[in-house]
Amino acid sequence: MTLNLAIKHNNMFVVFCIALNIILVSGSSLSDQVHQTPADINKKPEETAEITCSHSIESYNRILWYKQLKNKELQFLGYMLSTADNPEPGLGVKVKGSANKDQNCTLIIEGLSLNSSAVYFCACDTGSEAYFGKGTKLTVLETGINITAPTVKVLRPSCNEYRNQKDNTTKKTIVCVASGFYPDHVTVQWKDNKGPKTSGVATDSAALRGDNGFYTITSRLRVPGTEWFKPGSNFTCTVSFYNGTHTEDFAKSIRGEDGNAMTRGKYLKRTQIAKLSYGVLIVKSCIYGVFVVFLVWKLQSSSRKQR
């Protein structure tokens, strides 16, 4: 999808009120020809970060750079026109390289601070149309908090999950929780025996930060009961975490339930029934014992009277 941009040659600051997800959902093949690297960067305060952008689009020779603010708006950082750099003054950034086809254009962010943490985008532009890269997430690490990988848990569905009364089908929700990680460079994916799962997946839009500075993110996979109770069914949640040098995968799996097998719920139910039956049997035995004692006592009393 193309975005119409009204950009003047000497503009100092441009804010686009366009949500990030709208920018990235592009069905155009030209957007696939814009390449931005790396996808993730972790840096310490006062260090320098570099992000590279290139494209393979004929006749395009301008690359724009943006910083996504916390309110999801985009701040214009500058542009490269062919080999001429035009960074916005006062933002602590430089632009170098070339915006021509198959050349590299680099955004340099100097003197990093905590406020530099954001997602940065490049866009290949002709003056009327622009095609965006996939973005680079930059985190400036806070002092006293170490990079920490997530702990991943997968929770089984509730036994009392919703049952559709119309077609008598059960929906089961499997929950994946990744917690205790820093920074929040994570993605969550699901798969089953057949491969990746996208249908029925709901993942938090952003990781939630706790008072201790570490993050938690939750993802939910909703599957039909026919899949959950299918013998041999297996569901895996994979959390990918960027640790500053490379991306690590942390996966946890959970097996579905065999509808004909002895599940925990069925076991508990049968155990309770057995306990109840055993208790009733004990009570009946006690009553029978009392009756026998009474009968013996009665016979003995009758015998004494006859004597």
Side-chain angles (χ1 to χ4, degrees):
M1 179 182 67
T2 61
L3 300 177
N4 293 324
L5 305 176
I7 301 176
K8 298 180 180 180
H9 292 293
N10 298 320
N11 60 345
M12 301 294 291
F13 186 86
V14 179
V15 176
F16 291 92
C17 301
I18 306 172
L20 174 60
N21 62 328
I22 298 178
I23 295 173
L24 294 181
V25 177
S26 174
S28 172
S29 60
L30 291 181
S31 291
D32 297 334
Q33 297 182 46
V34 179
H35 311 289
Q36 184 175 338
T37 58
D40 298 271
I41 300 177
N42 290 342
K43 289 290 184 179
K44 296 179 180 179
E46 300 302 323
E47 290 186 338
T48 298
E50 295 188 3
I51 305 171
T52 299
C53 184
S54 64
H55 70 89
S56 54
I57 307 174
E58 293 289 348
S59 73
Y60 279 48
N61 66 346
R62 180 158 61 176
I63 289 180
L64 315 175
W65 287 98
Y66 302 93
K67 174 184 179 182
Q68 183 189 17
L69 304 177
K70 291 182 178 180
N71 60 3
K72 301 298 182 180
E73 295 179 352
L74 296 181
Q75 177 184 4
F76 181 61
L77 302 178
Y79 67 97
M80 173 72 71
L81 179 61
S82 189
T83 58
D85 61 304
N86 295 273
E88 290 290 285
L91 299 181
V93 300
K94 294 180 180 179
V95 183
K96 70 176 184 178
S98 172
N100 296 324
K101 178 185 175 183
D102 298 328
Q103 301 295 313
N104 289 331
C105 176
T106 302
L107 174 70
I108 303 171
I109 311 166
E110 300 178 321
L112 293 173
S113 66
L114 296 181
N115 289 332
S116 303
S117 296
V119 179
Y120 293 79
F121 292 94
C122 71
C124 185
D125 171 65
T126 62
S128 60
E129 297 175 333
Y131 299 93
F132 281 77
K134 293 184 178 180
T136 296
K137 185 170 185 176
L138 167 65
T139 294
V140 181
L141 302 173
E142 299 179 26
T143 304
I145 305 180
N146 296 324
I147 295 176
T148 306
T151 298
V152 181
K153 296 181 179 179
V154 178
L155 308 179
R156 301 184 71 83
S158 169
C159 296
N160 300 320
E161 191 113 26
Y162 168 76
R163 178 179 291 275
N164 190 325
Q165 298 296 332
K166 293 183 179 180
D167 56 9
N168 200 35
T169 58
T170 301
K171 291 288 187 178
K172 292 294 184 180
T173 303
I174 311 168
V175 181
C176 178
V177 181
S179 60
F181 58 90
Y182 178 85
D184 59 336
H185 290 234
V186 294
T187 57
V188 183
Q189 293 180 323
W190 287 92
K191 69 176 182 179
D192 60 8
N193 302 71
K194 298 179 181 179
K197 295 281 291 184
T198 55
S199 176
V201 174
T203 303
D204 295 343
S205 58
L208 178 65
R209 186 169 187 178
D211 295 335
N212 59 358
F214 293 94
Y215 290 89
T216 298
I217 193 168
T218 302
S219 181
R220 295 155 295 282
L221 173 63
R222 194 163 175 81
V223 299
T226 52
E227 293 184 23
W228 176 252
F229 291 109
K230 185 178 180 179
S233 60
N234 192 70
F235 304 90
T236 301
C237 171
T238 300
V239 179
S240 299
F241 173 73
Y242 179 70
N243 62 13
T245 59
H246 64 279
T247 300
E248 294 182 275
D249 290 337
F250 299 86
K252 287 290 183 180
S253 298
I254 188 171
R255 288 188 175 277
E257 299 177 10
D258 186 344
N260 297 320
M262 178 65 73
T263 63
R264 176 177 173 81
K266 290 181 180 179
Y267 173 78
L268 292 176
K269 185 176 181 179
R270 293 188 182 182
T271 301
Q272 291 175 351
I273 293 175
K275 289 180 178 179
L276 180 61
S277 299
Y278 185 68
V280 172
L281 181 61
I282 292 177
V283 172
K284 288 183 177 180
S285 299
C286 292
I287 294 174
Y288 180 74
V290 171
F291 174 74
V292 171
V293 170
F294 174 77
L295 184 59
V296 171
W297 175 80
K298 194 70 173 176
L299 292 174
Q300 289 178 348
S301 299
S302 177
S303 177
R304 291 194 192 96
K305 290 180 179 180
Q306 291 178 359
R307 291 176 183 176

